[in-house]
Amino acid sequence: MYVVIRRTGLTGSPEEAARRARAHIVPLLRGRPGFRGYCAFVTEQGDSAYSVSIFDDKGTAMDAHRCVRQWVDANMRDLMPDEPEVVGGETVFDSIAHPQEQKDPQQALFVVIRSYRGLPGQTEAMHSVVSQYTLPAITNAPGFRGFYAFRDEADPDRAISITLFDTHEEAMRAHEQVVGIMRKRLGEMAYQPPRTVMGETVVLATV
């Protein structure tokens, strides 16, 4: 699968931005080939909005991204006047909770995005740590809903992971466990703590 993350400065009402996204962006994305999922959240400071789009492959993901950009340019510049920061890549790891483990699909989730830097020469070690330790810790944690990890296609020095949980508390417990595992397992390779952003979804859509 292919993931696209957009970060956009937000100068208007977060509630109005969420309303427009639910009413227009979600139907736009759901109607496109390869759609797997979409969510958006506003940072606690209220000055930035993040969205995560998941598609079958890069082609369908970038076609959808261009379509969203056009709609935002025409309809949301009063709320988001700046150009978005965009990062994308093909998933190296992905996992979602089984349907029987999920709660109300319309229930808000809590998203944590971690960005790791300084990875050249550590790809194999990072892959091993994630597959053996980090991924099981996340997927077996209470409240787990989804996990995606990819290397930034435009900047191979950066790897990004996205986790989704039912609640803030469950997400933070898993996040602290993940950071501890990475520090322990990669400490000898000058491991640097990830840059982290998080928030509760204001828009959520799945297949």
Side-chain angles (χ1 to χ4, degrees):
M1 289 186 282
Y2 197 90
V3 179
V4 176
I5 301 175
R6 288 178 291 270
R7 176 199 171 277
T8 310
L10 184 62
T11 60
S13 162
E15 293 78 14
E16 176 59 17
R19 186 194 69 77
R20 294 187 199 178
R22 284 192 295 265
H24 300 283
I25 293 178
V26 168
L28 186 155
L29 290 175
R30 271 190 167 149
R32 300 197 67 81
F35 173 76
R36 291 296 188 94
Y38 172 82
C39 68
F41 66 90
V42 177
T43 57
E44 293 181 353
Q45 296 79 11
D47 59 354
S48 297
Y50 282 80
S51 70
V52 180
S53 301
I54 303 159
F55 279 79
D56 281 337
D57 52 52
K58 181 179 179 180
T60 56
M62 296 313 296
D63 283 346
H65 168 63
R66 285 188 286 270
C67 193
V68 169
R69 282 286 301 274
Q70 291 173 357
W71 191 89
V72 170
D73 286 344
N75 299 280
M76 293 187 73
R77 282 306 182 195
D78 56 326
L79 304 175
M80 300 175 172
D82 301 326
E83 290 297 309
E85 299 173 12
V86 182
V87 59
E90 186 173 349
T91 56
V92 180
F93 296 97
D94 59 81
S95 180
I96 59 172
H98 297 301
Q100 62 267 29
E101 298 172 2
Q102 296 181 5
K103 298 181 181 179
D104 181 356
Q106 300 304 313
Q107 171 188 319
L109 301 181
F110 198 84
V111 186
V112 179
I113 300 176
R114 289 181 290 270
S115 178
Y116 300 88
R117 297 205 69 91
L119 299 175
Q122 301 182 24
T123 302
E124 185 174 342
M126 177 72 82
H127 191 282
S128 177
V129 169
V130 173
S131 61
Q132 293 185 53
Y133 303 101
T134 305
L135 185 56
I138 292 171
T139 58
N140 292 326
F144 167 74
R145 294 291 296 273
F147 173 76
Y148 305 89
F150 64 94
R151 187 177 292 273
D152 181 355
E153 195 169 80
D155 181 3
D157 188 46
R158 179 165 62 161
I160 297 170
S161 71
I162 304 159
T163 57
L164 298 98
F165 279 82
D166 283 325
T167 68
H168 172 271
E169 292 75 17
E170 291 165 335
M172 293 313 300
R173 280 197 294 269
H175 170 65
E176 290 167 4
Q177 187 176 6
V178 165
V179 170
I181 290 171
M182 301 295 278
R183 183 184 299 114
K184 177 181 179 181
R185 298 292 171 179
L186 296 176
E188 67 275 13
M189 296 192 301
Y191 165 73
Q192 299 177 6
R195 177 179 177 269
T196 306
V197 294
M198 59 187 70
E200 187 176 70
T201 59
V202 293
V203 184
L204 180 63
T206 58
V207 291

